[in-house]
Amino acid sequence: MNAPLLMLALATAPAGADEVPESAAWRANRPPVPEPEPPVLPAFERGQLKNGLEVHVTRVPGLPIVSFELVTLGGAALDPEGQAGLTSMMYALLEEGTESLDALAFSDRVADLGARFAASAQRDHGTLAIGGLSRHAEPLLELLAEVARRPRLAGEDFDRARAETLASLERSLASPQGLAFMVFPGLVYGADHPYGHPPSGTPSSVSQLSVEAVRAQHARVFHPSRSALIATGDIDLAEAMRLAEATLGAWQAGDPAPLEIPPVAPGRREHITLVDRPGAAQTMVLFGRPLFERGEPDELPLTLGNEAWGGSFSGRLNMNLREDKGYTYGARSQAVFRRGVGAFLAYAAVQTEHTGASVAEVFAEFQRLRSDPLSSDEIELARAGIVRSLTGQFQSSGAIASAASSLFVYGLDLDYFQTLGPRYAELEPERVRRITERYLEPERMQVLLVGDLAEIRPQLESRDLGPVEVLSPPR
Amino acid sequence: MRNLTAPLAALLTGWSLTACSGTAARTGPASGPGRAPEAPDQEVPSIPHERYELDNGLEVILHEDHRLPLVAVSVWYHVGALHEPPGRSGFAHLFEHMMFQGSPHVGADQHFRILQEVGATQINGTTSFDRTNYFETVPAAALETALWLESDRMGFLLASLTRESLENQIDVVQNERRQSVENRPYGLMDELMTQTLFPPPHPYAGNIIGSLEDIGAATLDDVKSFFRTYYTPANATLALAGDFDPAEARALIEKYFGPLGGEPEPSTGVPAVPTLDEPLEITFQEPIGRLPKLSMAWLAPPAFSEDSAALDMLAHVISGTRSARLDRKVSHEDLIAQSVTAYFREMQAGSVFQIDLVVRPGRTLEEAETAIDEVLADLRDHPPTEEELARALNTWETDTFRQLELLGGFGGRAEQLQTYNHYLGEPGRLAWDVERHRAVTVDDLAAVLAEHLTENRVVIMASPLGAPGEEKEAAR
């Protein structure tokens, strides 16, 4: 119905509109960008209660909103052997109310405060989060403390939560991304490593969990000396300390489970692993390998090198697979650092018929780091992007809370983010090249493909990309 | 160096604190269980701004906020899937991709690179049913760079377009479609719902992303005529939010955008909202998802029309918290759903009220439909209470205000101003929007339920084709 209008407009378009007029020639001069000012970063502050609980506060003025997160070390890495998903399930059950409020009453209490509550387990830690208006700071924190200290952990709630988790796992496994990220940790770390299973668990591991195990896990995990209260928003340190003392000052607990993450020796790849999805229009492609612990000297140079290779839109990986070949909507890589061994990860969803070519191109990009090392321009672009965007990374209280949480989880100094700029500035390009080349080693990359085996196998064989081992999806 | 912990009063230039104390008063402890909510406070949030127009018709919105040395730059072109000609579904979105391919003075593949170099965040472009937007948040010192980039592609994109870059982006967008539709659980089902509510020739039928065939059929001439018609300054709005001097910003905007020529604003009509004269129930074979899914949808009047705040609140009463009517029944008591949502999506040529329910293993689509119908019938017999409405409003307000923390990017302040400007012709309608949500009564909820959630609805029941991998593996 818009066609006639469009045609009308076309008829009146001036001839030669595709040409740039002489009068616009000045636009070829890109505006100068003044030397960047030092980043403006939030002021992270810290206190501690007598029971060991750390209190991290970042005041964000402007909106009368506050958020509290109770962050506890441990996370899915503390899942006992054979009970993958136990910590996640324990956190899921913490959304089901407290000794004095059942699940519906708890949910109503949160909604009455105009708040949102969430509980989740990551690999190295778990988080209980509640946020709302700052004039409700006290009742919000009381509710959070009650969840941590006096959770309901009832059998009937457990049955419901487990059924819900099993249904969610079933749903995730239907998605190529969901399936890939469930399988890949085991390939990178080995299935027995604390980081080798998906934090959510698998259908078979979750179906064997019991409410008794959840209660025991609660005792193994929750402890004030292993926790931090992260307060962000319209609140200051003194007020946060007062509220923390009132709600969590009397919190005591038994001995928590030890936190130890063993090292991983990165092995050579023996085959490409494939999960078959007959008829899939795209193949999910993942490359990965274990790295080293957060805080090691190679962390920043590798982060910088990764930014240039695959961490940004303009990195080599995306420019090749997307902007040159058009095989994918986007390709990225990440160097992920944890309390224990971190991981390098590169991924893309690529068109089925170009799967072999895509895998070959990613290998070629790893190789090219040797024949055509990262140029000074590439390194300086990545460096500028990381350092100059620091101010912009801390705009929302959510982003600030997550940064404060990482200070606690990884044991970083309060001025960590302030020191990043100077630390990146002094990295020698040669060192960035050497370290990037060392870790982005094609032979040590595990490769997972989730896609149509019958279509993909001949593509891999014709390019001599090594043997393929077919893996059944997790049950 | 500015400090985030400077005194509160000094930092409120860009945001009125009174705004939120209004909410606070109303959501205080007195509105707890069993108590009627307090009368709404008259104080409402606002995003202070000024709006003016250049001689070429470009609208400009300026919102100052000096808390951080950042400026969000947002350009809206008032063209979306709504304006796609027949046979060119997905074209507005494909065109959006072409805007990143490099204009003549900027150069090929330079847009992201330059923004990365100056330290930009929140860099993106999005196409919706009704409009296309482009945004980036830059350090204040790089505002001129962002204006240079945006003005060059607004003025001169066609001079640097090549067949190669169009063919490349056709491949990329077709892969975007494969990723978000063909290879995503329920992607095709969601597309079918849009096509059923807005059957062709309604331009929404393309569901923004368009068909593989139509995307592949786009020609360089299509790109050129679309640009000339819709990407004219007179059909665009530029918004800045953040740390700038208004006089300097005006001068820079005049320098970069003032000289741009172009066609006058296109006089596009908006097609009428389709009508459903009977209930439609469709069964669908879901190729990717492994759990059955039911979607139930009703058509509603265009965005921001009289009943829309009440429909929005009704969606919150039905779903979103554990004790919301539908969640309580299907997730807590009867254990039918893996997930359930109800939402009201406002659009220029027809809005949609929709309920989605993914069914748990062992339960059925029929049970899901019966449960939803029972909840809707129960809502008619036992209309929402003041307490339920108060909770819905609290949640809506908290979510709405949280978005205002960001200057730009998805849902930030620049985008809020643009949204109200696009749909209502006036950027400063946030306060009005909050007021009209606060003004919704339980009687309004009952009325919109009766008027809009009628038997004339579309239900799609998707049954999984079978777990991928199983059958074929067994056959081998």
Side-chain angles (χ1 to χ4, degrees):
Chain A
M1 60 200 62
N2 291 311
L5 293 168
L6 180 64
M7 301 312 287
L8 192 67
L10 268 180
T12 57
D18 312 8
E19 322 238 316
V20 181
E22 196 69 25
S23 60
W26 60 274
R27 291 177 188 268
N29 300 314
R30 181 180 160 190
V33 179
E35 272 304 297
E37 294 172 44
V40 179
L41 300 173
F44 297 100
E45 297 182 278
R46 179 168 55 198
Q48 192 166 27
L49 302 187
K50 287 201 185 66
N51 60 7
L53 180 81
E54 289 188 21
V55 179
H56 288 243
V57 181
T58 318
R59 181 144 182 243
V60 186
L63 287 165
I65 284 179
V66 67
S67 71
F68 295 107
E69 292 184 6
L70 188 73
V71 175
T72 303
L73 300 181
L78 275 188
D79 286 349
E81 208 181 318
Q83 297 191 66
L86 180 60
T87 309
S88 281
M89 178 59 67
M90 186 261 286
Y91 272 89
L93 207 53
L94 294 178
E95 297 202 29
E96 301 288 332
T98 67
E99 284 175 9
S100 64
L101 294 167
D102 70 16
L104 291 177
F106 178 74
S107 161
D108 281 346
R109 181 79 186 119
V110 171
D112 285 339
L113 291 167
R116 293 269 185 199
F117 176 83
S120 62
Q122 294 80 36
R123 290 206 177 276
D124 284 325
H125 66 284
T127 307
L128 298 175
I130 195 163
L133 296 165
S134 46
R135 60 170 286 162
H136 297 156
E138 191 146 7
L140 288 169
L141 190 52
E142 279 167 1
L143 209 49
L144 189 70
E146 197 172 324
V147 173
R149 297 179 59 189
R150 287 179 289 275
R152 198 168 188 87
L153 303 181
E156 57 182 55
D157 294 329
F158 170 80
D159 293 342
R160 194 177 56 243
R162 184 177 58 180
E164 211 163 273
T165 300
L166 285 170
S168 300
L169 287 172
E170 189 71 13
R171 184 170 177 182
S172 294
L173 284 168
S175 135
Q177 284 85 351
L179 194 158
F181 285 98
M182 220 175 282
V183 171
F184 205 47
L187 298 182
V188 171
Y189 287 104
D192 296 334
H193 190 273
Y195 293 156
H197 63 274
S200 60
T202 61
S204 59
S205 72
V206 169
S207 60
Q208 286 169 39
L209 300 178
S210 67
V211 71
E212 290 76 20
V214 165
R215 289 183 191 132
Q217 188 69 354
H218 185 268
R220 293 178 75 224
V221 169
F222 270 88
H223 197 277
S225 70
R226 238 188 224 175
S227 302
L229 177 68
I230 312 283
T232 313
D234 180 20
I235 189 165
D236 62 20
L237 181 62
E239 174 70 355
M241 286 295 287
R242 188 186 70 77
L243 292 176
E245 184 59 48
T247 53
L248 291 159
W251 180 19
Q252 298 293 340
D255 290 338
L259 293 173
E260 277 161 29
I261 307 294
V264 180
R268 288 184 170 271
R269 180 186 59 263
E270 286 162 6
H271 50 253
I272 287 178
T273 305
L274 189 146
V275 179
D276 191 14
R277 308 247 310 179
Q282 284 186 329
T283 307
M284 192 67 204
V285 178
L286 291 90
F287 290 71
R289 60 159 290 165
L291 292 173
F292 45 83
E293 288 180 18
R294 183 155 189 156
E296 294 283 318
D298 287 352
E299 179 186 338
L300 293 196
L302 182 57
T303 303
L304 185 50
N306 172 67
E307 187 75 3
W309 186 82
S312 59
F313 186 96
S314 304
R316 288 182 174 189
L317 180 66
N318 188 61
M319 291 312 282
N320 181 342
L321 290 189
R322 171 179 156 136
E323 294 296 288
D324 186 41
K325 308 293 191 312
Y327 293 160
T328 177
Y329 177 46
R332 287 292 190 282
S333 66
Q334 276 178 279
V336 182
F337 294 100
R338 314 186 195 281
R339 283 174 59 87
V341 188
F344 171 85
L345 187 63
Y347 52 92
V350 305
Q351 202 173 335
T352 300
E353 64 188 272
H354 298 307
T355 304
S358 298
V359 172
E361 286 299 330
V362 178
F363 279 130
E365 287 296 351
F366 289 135
Q367 281 300 349
R368 191 151 78 84
L369 284 169
R370 286 140 189 91
S371 59
D372 176 15
L374 292 173
S375 69
S376 298
D377 283 355
E378 287 174 290
I379 290 171
E380 293 317 318
L381 176 64
R383 187 184 340 240
I386 292 174
V387 174
R388 292 180 187 171
S389 66
L390 275 170
T391 304
Q393 306 288 354
F394 294 93
Q395 282 188 67
S396 70
S397 51
I400 293 168
S402 142
S405 161
S406 69
L407 295 179
F408 168 69
V409 172
Y410 304 116
L412 306 171
D413 293 336
L414 288 183
D415 67 351
Y416 172 80
F417 295 106
Q418 274 86 353
T419 65
L420 273 181
R423 289 174 64 205
Y424 275 112
E426 69 190 20
L427 291 176
E428 298 282 348
E430 202 38 54
R431 183 156 168 243
V432 173
R433 286 184 196 110
R434 194 175 64 241
I435 286 169
T436 309
E437 184 187 320
R438 180 189 306 159
Y439 291 101
L440 273 60
E441 202 183 0
E443 302 78 24
R444 296 200 191 277
M445 291 290 169
Q446 301 302 321
V447 179
L448 172 66
L449 307 179
V450 179
D452 188 334
L453 172 67
E455 293 289 328
I456 298 169
R457 199 202 290 265
Q459 298 177 33
L460 298 175
E461 282 170 355
S462 73
R463 286 176 181 80
D464 217 9
L465 289 167
V468 175
E469 182 155 303
V470 178
L471 184 73
S472 300
R475 296 266 167 242
Chain B
M1 178 166 129
R2 270 153 292 200
N3 193 321
L4 269 177
T5 55
L8 187 62
L11 297 160
L12 291 170
T13 345
W15 168 259
S16 92
L17 181 70
T18 53
C20 299
S21 63
T23 331
R26 211 187 33 67
T27 57
S31 68
R35 310 277 296 265
E38 289 175 20
D41 198 297
Q42 292 313 301
E43 290 176 296
V44 287
S46 66
I47 310 173
H49 65 277
E50 54 180 320
R51 181 177 62 165
Y52 65 98
E53 205 169 280
L54 302 189
D55 289 343
N56 58 17
L58 177 72
E59 265 185 319
V60 180
I61 302 168
L62 303 179
H63 161 58
E64 269 183 87
D65 176 345
H66 300 283
R67 279 177 292 178
L68 289 171
L70 299 169
V71 185
V73 177
S74 156
V75 183
W76 277 40
Y77 294 90
H78 303 282
V79 55
L82 178 58
H83 308 93
E84 285 161 357
R88 286 295 177 270
S89 66
F91 192 77
H93 169 253
L94 174 64
F95 186 88
E96 176 225 302
H97 277 242
M98 298 310 294
M99 284 285 275
F100 289 94
Q101 291 301 297
S103 49
H105 305 103
V106 172
D109 294 332
Q110 291 302 305
H111 186 89
F112 281 100
R113 200 159 283 172
I114 289 168
L115 285 173
Q116 183 181 358
E117 192 184 347
V118 302
T121 51
Q122 314 256 21
I123 310 164
N124 221 323
T126 75
T127 307
S128 80
F129 285 104
D130 301 330
R131 94 290 177 277
T132 311
N133 68 357
Y134 302 84
F135 51 81
E136 54 271 341
T137 299
V138 294
L143 170 60
E144 187 170 357
T145 304
L147 297 176
W148 171 68
L149 289 168
E150 294 296 353
S151 63
D152 204 48
R153 58 183 176 179
M154 182 185 289
F156 310 103
L157 181 76
L158 293 190
S160 57
L161 277 188
T162 63
R163 193 167 304 281
E164 293 70 34
S165 67
L166 175 61
E167 281 167 7
N168 167 255
Q169 289 305 307
I170 286 174
D171 287 341
V172 170
V173 171
Q174 287 181 331
N175 273 310
E176 182 177 356
R177 184 191 153 88
R178 290 184 187 101
Q179 186 174 328
S180 61
V181 182
E182 270 89 3
N183 210 28
R184 186 178 69 84
Y186 316 111
L188 286 164
M189 174 200 188
D190 294 343
E191 179 177 75
L192 176 63
M193 177 58 92
T194 306
Q195 288 167 346
T196 309
L197 291 168
F198 299 98
H202 197 292
Y204 285 176
N207 205 30
I208 304 169
I209 189 75
S211 69
L212 279 176
E213 189 187 357
D214 283 2
I215 298 165
T219 67
L220 215 48
D221 282 344
D222 293 330
V223 174
K224 289 179 178 178
S225 63
F226 197 82
F227 180 81
R228 289 190 189 113
T229 308
Y230 296 110
Y231 277 69
T232 167
N235 199 38
T237 305
L238 165 70
L240 305 188
D243 184 24
F244 56 84
D245 175 87
E248 282 173 26
R250 278 173 177 259
L252 286 173
I253 290 166
E254 183 57 38
K255 173 182 172 185
Y256 284 99
F257 291 89
L260 304 183
E263 295 297 303
E265 187 180 350
S267 54
T268 52
V270 176
V273 182
T275 48
L276 272 172
D277 301 323
E278 56 180 351
L280 286 178
E281 189 151 323
I282 300 168
T283 56
F284 180 75
Q285 297 290 303
E286 167 59 34
I288 307 291
R290 305 211 304 207
L291 299 176
K293 178 178 168 183
L294 181 152
S295 288
M296 184 181 285
W298 294 262
L299 286 159
F304 296 101
S305 50
E306 205 187 331
D307 289 343
S308 66
L311 284 163
D312 199 6
M313 289 295 91
L314 181 62
H316 281 75
V317 167
I318 291 176
S319 179
T321 59
R322 186 174 287 277
S323 57
R325 294 282 180 107
L326 185 56
D327 296 46
R328 183 181 178 132
K329 180 165 180 70
V330 299
S331 299
H332 195 82
E333 290 167 357
D334 295 353
L335 307 186
I336 295 170
Q338 180 269 327
S339 80
V340 62
T341 51
Y343 51 93
F344 179 59
R345 210 161 34 139
E346 299 195 64
M347 297 178 288
Q348 220 163 326
S351 302
V352 175
F353 191 103
Q354 188 161 331
I355 296 172
D356 291 331
L357 191 157
V358 177
V359 179
R360 284 193 188 194
R363 306 306 295 261
T364 66
L365 285 161
E366 291 68 28
E367 287 175 305
E369 187 177 29
T370 305
I372 295 171
D373 280 336
E374 282 173 14
V375 167
L376 293 177
D378 184 60
L379 263 176
R380 290 185 187 98
D381 297 342
H382 305 94
T385 61
E386 298 283 354
E387 211 177 307
E388 286 177 286
L389 175 59
R391 278 183 197 131
L393 182 61
N394 286 350
T395 309
W396 180 85
E397 285 194 359
T398 304
D399 291 350
T400 302
F401 297 160
R402 276 242 178 249
Q403 294 216 306
L404 299 174
E405 282 190 327
L406 288 173
L407 291 171
F410 295 96
R413 271 175 271 157
E415 298 310 300
Q416 291 262 0
L417 291 164
Q418 290 272 25
T419 300
Y420 292 119
N421 186 56
H422 176 85
Y423 286 100
L424 299 166
E426 219 242 281
R429 297 298 287 276
L430 174 64
W432 167 85
D433 202 11
V434 173
E435 288 288 12
R436 78 189 182 117
H437 278 83
R438 288 179 181 171
V440 170
T441 65
V442 290
D443 290 343
D444 294 337
L445 296 184
V448 296
L449 178 69
E451 184 176 346
H452 299 293
L453 271 57
T454 67
E455 58 179 14
N456 292 338
R457 64 188 189 186
V458 178
V459 177
I460 301 184
M461 310 260 241
S463 308
L465 266 173
E470 282 176 3
E471 292 163 34
K472 209 163 168 180
E473 219 166 62
R476 254 184 214 125

